[in-house]
Amino acid sequence: MDWSDSWRGAFRIELRAEAVSLAYRGWPVLPGTYPAGSENGVTQWAGRSGLELHGPIPVHRDWVDRIGTRPEQVATWWAGASYSLLVATGHVVDAIEVGTDLGRRAAVVLRSIGVPVPIAATPSGRWMFLVKSGSKLNTELAGNPDVHHYAQGEYIPLPPTTMAHGVVHWRVKPQVCGWNLPDAHVVQDALVEALHAPARSYQLETV
């Protein structure tokens, strides 16, 4: 993927607008490192004092202390660079991340009961269901290697963050849910149901 300055610049205004919008809604947004070419086939990430080999990660090393920053200050973070858009979990928002197949099945379950849930997807095939903070994974999901719960002390990338091989995008936008995050148990129940249902039940469904 072409990580030229002109290409990244096309996203800067959109990233800034989205970050400010989320901050006004109380979501703890953070600027993250962004792709800056590759060396020996390994993506390098810019935004800190030097190039990083892993990303996106928060630009500020004291990012925990910056949680809750006012929207006006958030706007200045994206004034000059196309930083990734990160959201700190464990404060308002948590995320339950799964692979594409399980994510698609769970989304079908949620749609069947009329419960829209914000879902972001990464280019690497991971789906993140956004939920209210404060809950832990149940025993079955906690023991599943395809499931990860992002909670306090962690963060997730949100659209339109650029990754090594594409852009994070919404499968279900928060606007569809009226910006209301579901309780975590609602998504967990859907994931458990999806795990136990026959695969053929979902072959013709799309999200």
Side-chain angles (χ1 to χ4, degrees), residues 106-122:
V108 171
V109 173
L110 290 166
R111 186 172 62 184
S112 72
I113 61 175
V115 180
V117 174
I119 306 172
T122 71

mmCIF file of all heavy atoms in Angstrom, residues 106-122:
data_model
loop_
_atom_site.group_PDB
_atom_site.id
_atom_site.type_symbol
_atom_site.label_atom_id
_atom_site.label_comp_id
_atom_site.label_asym_id
_atom_site.label_seq_id
_atom_site.Cartn_x
_atom_site.Cartn_y
_atom_site.Cartn_z
ATOM 1 N N ALA A 106 -22.042 -13.966 14.907
ATOM 2 C CA ALA A 106 -22.611 -13.241 16.037
ATOM 3 C C ALA A 106 -23.422 -12.037 15.570
ATOM 4 O O ALA A 106 -24.467 -11.715 16.156
ATOM 5 C CB ALA A 106 -21.492 -12.792 16.975
ATOM 6 N N ALA A 107 -22.970 -11.375 14.517
ATOM 7 C CA ALA A 107 -23.711 -10.231 13.992
ATOM 8 C C ALA A 107 -25.082 -10.655 13.488
ATOM 9 O O ALA A 107 -26.077 -9.933 13.642
ATOM 10 C CB ALA A 107 -22.914 -9.563 12.870
ATOM 11 N N VAL A 108 -25.153 -11.832 12.883
ATOM 12 C CA VAL A 108 -26.433 -12.361 12.411
ATOM 13 C C VAL A 108 -27.359 -12.628 13.603
ATOM 14 O O VAL A 108 -28.555 -12.319 13.558
ATOM 15 C CB VAL A 108 -26.227 -13.644 11.581
ATOM 16 C CG1 VAL A 108 -27.559 -14.315 11.283
ATOM 17 C CG2 VAL A 108 -25.494 -13.317 10.284
ATOM 18 N N VAL A 109 -26.814 -13.191 14.663
ATOM 19 C CA VAL A 109 -27.611 -13.452 15.863
ATOM 20 C C VAL A 109 -28.164 -12.142 16.419
ATOM 21 O O VAL A 109 -29.353 -12.034 16.748
ATOM 22 C CB VAL A 109 -26.776 -14.175 16.941
ATOM 23 C CG1 VAL A 109 -27.573 -14.276 18.245
ATOM 24 C CG2 VAL A 109 -26.371 -15.561 16.458
ATOM 25 N N LEU A 110 -27.311 -11.133 16.532
ATOM 26 C CA LEU A 110 -27.735 -9.846 17.073
ATOM 27 C C LEU A 110 -28.801 -9.201 16.186
ATOM 28 O O LEU A 110 -29.765 -8.611 16.682
ATOM 29 C CB LEU A 110 -26.528 -8.916 17.215
ATOM 30 C CG LEU A 110 -25.531 -9.309 18.309
ATOM 31 C CD1 LEU A 110 -24.220 -8.551 18.137
ATOM 32 C CD2 LEU A 110 -26.124 -9.041 19.685
ATOM 33 N N ARG A 111 -28.618 -9.335 14.885
ATOM 34 C CA ARG A 111 -29.611 -8.772 13.974
ATOM 35 C C ARG A 111 -30.941 -9.496 14.101
ATOM 36 O O ARG A 111 -32.018 -8.883 14.041
ATOM 37 C CB ARG A 111 -29.109 -8.859 12.531
ATOM 38 C CG ARG A 111 -30.033 -8.153 11.531
ATOM 39 C CD ARG A 111 -29.417 -8.100 10.158
ATOM 40 N NE ARG A 111 -29.175 -9.414 9.589
ATOM 41 C CZ ARG A 111 -28.581 -9.620 8.430
ATOM 42 N NH1 ARG A 111 -28.127 -8.587 7.727
ATOM 43 N NH2 ARG A 111 -28.412 -10.838 7.964
ATOM 44 N N SER A 112 -30.906 -10.784 14.333
ATOM 45 C CA SER A 112 -32.145 -11.569 14.439
ATOM 46 C C SER A 112 -32.969 -11.184 15.663
ATOM 47 O O SER A 112 -34.186 -11.370 15.684
ATOM 48 C CB SER A 112 -31.824 -13.069 14.472
ATOM 49 O OG SER A 112 -31.234 -13.439 15.707
ATOM 50 N N ILE A 113 -32.314 -10.659 16.712
ATOM 51 C CA ILE A 113 -33.054 -10.246 17.904
ATOM 52 C C ILE A 113 -33.251 -8.731 17.947
ATOM 53 O O ILE A 113 -33.726 -8.185 18.945
ATOM 54 C CB ILE A 113 -32.345 -10.721 19.194
ATOM 55 C CG1 ILE A 113 -30.941 -10.118 19.305
ATOM 56 C CG2 ILE A 113 -32.269 -12.242 19.224
ATOM 57 C CD1 ILE A 113 -30.233 -10.456 20.623
ATOM 58 N N GLY A 114 -32.865 -8.059 16.865
ATOM 59 C CA GLY A 114 -33.107 -6.631 16.760
ATOM 60 C C GLY A 114 -32.238 -5.770 17.647
ATOM 61 O O GLY A 114 -32.685 -4.719 18.122
ATOM 62 N N VAL A 115 -31.003 -6.193 17.866
ATOM 63 C CA VAL A 115 -30.082 -5.427 18.714
ATOM 64 C C VAL A 115 -28.868 -5.007 17.887
ATOM 65 O O VAL A 115 -27.928 -5.787 17.716
ATOM 66 C CB VAL A 115 -29.620 -6.247 19.930
ATOM 67 C CG1 VAL A 115 -28.655 -5.425 20.784
ATOM 68 C CG2 VAL A 115 -30.807 -6.692 20.760
ATOM 69 N N PRO A 116 -28.862 -3.790 17.353
ATOM 70 C CA PRO A 116 -27.686 -3.331 16.609
ATOM 71 C C PRO A 116 -26.540 -2.999 17.553
ATOM 72 O O PRO A 116 -26.747 -2.423 18.619
ATOM 73 C CB PRO A 116 -28.196 -2.084 15.879
ATOM 74 C CG PRO A 116 -29.288 -1.565 16.762
ATOM 75 C CD PRO A 116 -29.937 -2.787 17.377
ATOM 76 N N VAL A 117 -25.350 -3.381 17.172
ATOM 77 C CA VAL A 117 -24.155 -3.162 17.988
ATOM 78 C C VAL A 117 -23.068 -2.567 17.091
ATOM 79 O O VAL A 117 -22.855 -3.063 15.982
ATOM 80 C CB VAL A 117 -23.652 -4.490 18.600
ATOM 81 C CG1 VAL A 117 -22.327 -4.289 19.321
ATOM 82 C CG2 VAL A 117 -24.691 -5.070 19.549
ATOM 83 N N PRO A 118 -22.377 -1.516 17.533
ATOM 84 C CA PRO A 118 -21.279 -0.995 16.715
ATOM 85 C C PRO A 118 -20.203 -2.055 16.516
ATOM 86 O O PRO A 118 -19.763 -2.682 17.478
ATOM 87 C CB PRO A 118 -20.751 0.183 17.541
ATOM 88 C CG PRO A 118 -21.854 0.545 18.478
ATOM 89 C CD PRO A 118 -22.560 -0.740 18.775
ATOM 90 N N ILE A 119 -19.800 -2.240 15.258
ATOM 91 C CA ILE A 119 -18.779 -3.240 14.936
ATOM 92 C C ILE A 119 -17.756 -2.599 14.002
ATOM 93 O O ILE A 119 -18.117 -2.089 12.931
ATOM 94 C CB ILE A 119 -19.372 -4.485 14.255
ATOM 95 C CG1 ILE A 119 -20.505 -5.086 15.078
ATOM 96 C CG2 ILE A 119 -18.274 -5.520 14.015
ATOM 97 C CD1 ILE A 119 -21.258 -6.201 14.355
ATOM 98 N N ALA A 120 -16.490 -2.639 14.394
ATOM 99 C CA ALA A 120 -15.403 -2.189 13.530
ATOM 100 C C ALA A 120 -14.605 -3.407 13.094
ATOM 101 O O ALA A 120 -14.486 -4.388 13.840
ATOM 102 C CB ALA A 120 -14.503 -1.202 14.269
ATOM 103 N N ALA A 121 -14.054 -3.347 11.882
ATOM 104 C CA ALA A 121 -13.283 -4.470 11.354
ATOM 105 C C ALA A 121 -11.925 -3.990 10.860
ATOM 106 O O ALA A 121 -11.802 -2.905 10.290
ATOM 107 C CB ALA A 121 -14.040 -5.146 10.216
ATOM 108 N N THR A 122 -10.906 -4.814 11.078
ATOM 109 C CA THR A 122 -9.560 -4.478 10.635
ATOM 110 C C THR A 122 -9.250 -5.197 9.322
ATOM 111 O O THR A 122 -9.878 -6.205 8.994
ATOM 112 C CB THR A 122 -8.517 -4.895 11.690
ATOM 113 O OG1 THR A 122 -8.423 -6.328 11.708
ATOM 114 C CG2 THR A 122 -8.903 -4.388 13.071
#
